[in-house]
Amino acid sequence: MSAPDLSVVIPVYNEEAVLPALFARLYPALDALGRRYEVVFVNDGSRDRSAAMLREQFQARPEVTRVVLFNGNFGQHMAIMAGFEYCRGERVVTLDADLQNPPEEIARLLAKMDEGHDYVGSVRRLRQDVAWRRWASKAMNRLRERLTHIRMTDQGCMLRAYSRAIVDAIRSTREVSTYIPALAYSFAQNPAEVEVAHEERAAGESKYSLYKLIRLNFDLVTGFSVVPLQLFSLFGIAVSITSLATYFVVIGGRIVAGKGDGLWVIWDRDILTFLLIGIVLFGLGLVGEYVGRIYQQVRERPRYLVQAVLERREP
Ligand code: UDP
Ligand code: MG
């Protein structure tokens, strides 16, 4: 059996509520493409019935379904990484399990790839998420554009298509915590974007808390840029020069006035102290982010652990 034209990789974490609807829409949409495809589900250590449901689906469509079962929760991006490891398609599309990315839009991505792009991202038209997430995501997209060289209009949209070469490049990285779309972008020769529809989560709830989202964005920025670290030292230099200058001005003023200290100096000192403590704490945290990444990296633990793979034995 030769490689399929298309692999669809779907990370699944506690999605029992939505899986039936996903199966019901995904397979007809893929059948309609008229291409040879496979679906690779990666169960990211779900604690609900997801794994059992994926097993049933594998039994229902064994010729086009493969299931990778993690033995714990390693996060969405590691699940996609494992999907990349186990898929065989010439092109690979990633998709969320919750039907927020309509599977019918896959055709649009593939058509864009046919124009010669090796990586096609997507932008959510009329994004259906709560207001604070839309707002925070816009702000993060803007910040990321400035800090890294990654140009993506909508970093959060996971409906994306990758060529085999990009998938292989991503698989060859050894990074422990990463952000797959950004990684793909940095390897792509000719990336493009298309607009896709976006829907509300079909069922179940978001697996991303505010904390997890902040973590993810730290990973994205510190994983692809050392600018925060450099900015911080630049800022440190600026602060030092300013305080030195202030010192000379204050001392000079005292000498000219011929007396001890003015009230405004004390007032200034309070504000400045708080400001500097804040900056120092932030800087410490920032250094911690990078040190943490190095620590994770040097441990060289496996990025994820696979419990079992459900796939049809090749003849
Ligand atoms: N997901 C995962 N592991 C996790 C968290 C999420 O595999 O630790 C999967 C989840 O099942 C879904 C996708 O990643 O298929 C996106 O998650 P979700 O829809 O909850 O994120 P949101 O759309 O709210 O950003
Ligand atoms: Mg979602």
Side-chain angles (χ1 to χ4, degrees):
M1 217 172 80
S2 62
D5 302 329
L6 171 70
S7 295
V8 178
V9 169
I10 307 182
V12 176
Y13 179 54
N14 294 342
E15 301 283 11
E16 63 178 5
V18 78
L19 284 179
L22 173 69
F23 298 151
R25 260 177 75 183
L26 177 69
Y27 284 84
L30 292 175
D31 290 331
L33 288 177
R35 306 197 189 213
R36 295 198 323 109
Y37 72 88
E38 64 171 5
V39 186
V40 180
F41 292 102
V42 184
N43 176 47
D44 188 15
S46 301
R47 287 182 300 270
D48 62 359
R49 287 195 57 250
S50 296
M53 294 168 83
L54 292 175
R55 194 178 294 269
E56 280 163 26
Q57 181 59 25
F58 167 68
Q59 277 151 6
R61 296 290 301 269
E63 72 293 355
V64 290
T65 309
R66 308 172 80 203
V67 181
V68 178
L69 300 166
F70 278 3
N71 73 355
N73 181 235
F74 293 90
Q76 181 185 357
H77 291 265
M78 280 308 120
I80 294 173
M81 192 66 93
F84 282 2
E85 197 65 49
Y86 284 90
C87 72
R88 293 164 300 187
E90 272 313 306
R91 291 168 173 184
V92 182
V93 168
T94 55
L95 198 71
D96 282 352
D98 59 1
L99 284 173
Q100 287 200 279
N101 318 126
E104 296 78 16
E105 297 279 23
I106 292 174
R108 201 191 293 270
L109 296 184
L110 296 179
K112 194 78 189 169
M113 279 199 118
D114 288 338
E115 292 172 19
H117 299 284
D118 53 352
Y119 171 47
V120 179
S122 63
V123 181
R124 291 170 280 198
R125 186 182 331 121
L126 298 175
R127 182 168 171 192
Q128 304 291 322
D129 269 314
V130 285
W132 72 265
R133 289 231 7 206
R134 287 202 308 266
W135 179 84
S137 155
K138 236 183 218 148
M140 254 333 286
N141 271 305
R142 227 170 285 143
L143 185 65
R144 190 220 58 245
E145 293 263 302
R146 292 187 160 235
L147 293 184
T148 69
H149 301 295
I150 318 275
R151 301 277 163 270
M152 291 187 290
T153 314
D154 187 1
Q155 64 182 39
C157 189
M158 292 309 289
L159 178 58
R160 285 164 195 276
Y162 310 80
S163 71
R164 176 46 50 188
I166 302 263
V167 168
D168 287 342
I170 292 176
R171 285 171 48 206
S172 73
T173 63
R174 304 290 345 137
E175 266 174 89
V176 174
S177 44
T178 193
Y179 200 83
I180 304 253
L183 207 51
Y185 182 92
S186 61
F187 293 143
Q189 254 170 10
N190 189 7
E193 286 184 333
V194 292
E195 266 206 355
V196 294
H198 191 240
E199 296 174 9
E200 272 184 61
R201 202 173 221 290
E205 52 192 35
S206 174
K207 309 298 178 286
Y208 281 97
S209 59
L210 178 59
Y211 173 73
K212 264 184 137 183
L213 281 174
I214 293 174
R215 289 271 2 123
L216 194 71
N217 278 296
F218 257 114
D219 276 347
L220 177 54
V221 171
T222 58
F224 289 88
S225 159
V226 287
V227 171
L229 216 48
Q230 295 160 340
L231 258 187
F232 194 74
S233 40
L234 281 185
F235 198 74
I237 294 169
V239 169
S240 318
I241 292 175
T242 314
S243 38
L244 211 64
T246 314
Y247 177 79
F248 282 123
V249 169
V250 168
I251 294 295
R254 278 185 201 161
I255 291 168
V256 170
K259 60 177 177 183
D261 50 329
L263 250 182
W264 65 273
V265 181
I266 296 163
W267 179 83
D268 228 8
R269 194 198 297 153
D270 278 356
I271 301 280
L272 267 176
T273 309
F274 273 107
L275 187 72
L276 283 181
I277 288 175
I279 293 166
V280 167
L281 286 177
F282 178 75
L284 265 179
L286 200 57
V287 172
E289 283 288 330
Y290 286 96
V291 173
R293 292 184 74 86
I294 295 168
Y295 174 59
Q296 282 183 327
Q297 205 63 49
V298 297
R299 280 191 309 207
E300 286 199 26
R301 290 193 190 153
R303 293 188 285 188
Y304 52 81
L305 292 171
V306 174
Q307 191 175 49
V309 179
L310 311 179
E311 61 187 344
R312 204 166 62 156
R313 190 135 331 124
E314 313 238 330

